[in-house]
Amino acid sequence: DLALLKAFCKILLDTERLHKQVFDYDFIINNTDGFDEFIAELDKTNLEELIAQTGVSSKEVHQAAELLINNNK
Protein backbone atom coordinates (compact mmCIF):
# COMPACT_ATOMS: atom_id res chain seq x y z
CA ASP A 1 0.00 0.00 0.00
CA LEU A 2 1.62 3.22 -1.19
CA ALA A 3 0.06 5.38 1.51
CA LEU A 4 1.49 3.09 4.20
CA LEU A 5 4.98 3.19 2.69
CA LYS A 6 4.83 6.98 2.41
CA ALA A 7 3.64 7.23 6.01
CA PHE A 8 6.63 5.15 7.14
CA CYS A 9 8.97 7.36 5.12
CA LYS A 10 7.42 10.51 6.57
CA ILE A 11 7.84 9.21 10.14
CA LEU A 12 11.44 8.24 9.42
CA LEU A 13 12.10 11.69 7.93
CA ASP A 14 10.54 13.43 10.93
CA THR A 15 12.68 11.30 13.25
CA GLU A 16 15.80 12.12 11.23
CA ARG A 17 15.02 15.81 11.54
CA LEU A 18 14.82 15.44 15.32
CA HIS A 19 18.54 14.64 15.22
CA LYS A 20 18.35 10.88 15.29
CA GLN A 21 20.21 9.41 12.35
CA VAL A 22 17.86 7.14 10.48
CA PHE A 23 19.03 7.34 6.88
CA ASP A 24 22.27 5.92 5.48
CA TYR A 25 23.35 8.98 3.50
CA ASP A 26 26.47 7.31 2.10
CA PHE A 27 24.25 4.67 0.52
CA ILE A 28 21.69 7.23 -0.65
CA ILE A 29 24.30 9.49 -2.28
CA ASN A 30 26.10 6.63 -4.00
CA ASN A 31 23.18 4.43 -5.03
CA THR A 32 20.04 6.47 -5.58
CA ASP A 33 18.64 9.25 -7.73
CA GLY A 34 15.84 11.64 -6.86
CA PHE A 35 16.17 11.54 -3.09
CA ASP A 36 15.85 15.31 -2.67
CA GLU A 37 12.75 15.34 -4.87
CA PHE A 38 11.25 12.48 -2.88
CA ILE A 39 11.85 14.35 0.38
CA ALA A 40 10.30 17.50 -1.09
CA GLU A 41 7.22 15.47 -2.04
CA LEU A 42 7.01 13.96 1.46
CA ASP A 43 7.16 17.46 2.93
CA LYS A 44 3.97 18.30 1.03
CA THR A 45 2.06 15.38 2.50
CA ASN A 46 0.08 15.21 5.72
CA LEU A 47 0.96 12.20 7.86
CA GLU A 48 -2.49 11.77 9.37
CA GLU A 49 -4.11 11.87 5.92
CA LEU A 50 -1.70 9.18 4.73
CA ILE A 51 -2.47 7.02 7.75
CA ALA A 52 -6.22 7.46 7.22
CA GLN A 53 -5.79 6.13 3.68
CA THR A 54 -4.12 2.94 4.92
CA GLY A 55 -6.94 1.57 7.04
CA VAL A 56 -4.35 0.84 9.75
CA SER A 57 -4.47 2.62 13.10
CA SER A 58 -2.09 5.48 13.76
CA LYS A 59 -0.72 3.58 16.75
CA GLU A 60 0.11 0.53 14.64
CA VAL A 61 1.75 2.62 11.92
CA HIS A 62 3.92 4.40 14.48
CA GLN A 63 4.82 1.12 16.20
CA ALA A 64 5.91 -0.42 12.90
CA ALA A 65 7.89 2.70 12.02
CA GLU A 66 9.67 2.47 15.38
CA LEU A 67 10.79 -1.05 14.46
CA LEU A 68 12.33 0.37 11.29
CA ILE A 69 13.95 3.26 13.14
CA ASN A 70 15.50 1.02 15.78
CA ASN A 71 16.81 -1.56 13.30
CA ASN A 72 20.56 -1.07 12.97
CA LYS A 73 20.87 -2.73 9.56
Side-chain angles (χ1 to χ4, degrees):
D1 179 82
L2 186 57
L4 182 59
L5 291 174
K6 286 179 85 173
F8 287 150
C9 290
K10 183 122 177 113
I11 294 168
L12 269 59
L13 177 61
D14 291 346
T15 302
E16 176 81 24
R17 288 179 171 160
L18 293 173
H19 308 289
K20 179 174 181 179
Q21 185 172 354
V22 175
F23 299 122
D24 181 347
Y25 285 105
D26 288 333
F27 178 85
I28 291 168
I29 290 167
N30 293 312
N31 298 290
T32 67
D33 292 314
F35 181 75
D36 292 333
E37 293 82 0
F38 178 68
I39 296 303
E41 186 64 30
L42 278 180
D43 284 335
K44 296 176 188 175
T45 62
N46 178 284
L47 178 58
E48 294 309 315
E49 288 177 10
L50 288 171
I51 292 173
Q53 294 172 23
T54 69
V56 179
S57 75
S58 179
K59 180 180 177 181
E60 291 173 314
V61 171
H62 281 89
Q63 286 174 334
E66 281 297 318
L67 292 173
L68 295 170
I69 290 165
N70 294 320
N71 185 357
N72 292 327
K73 291 185 180 182

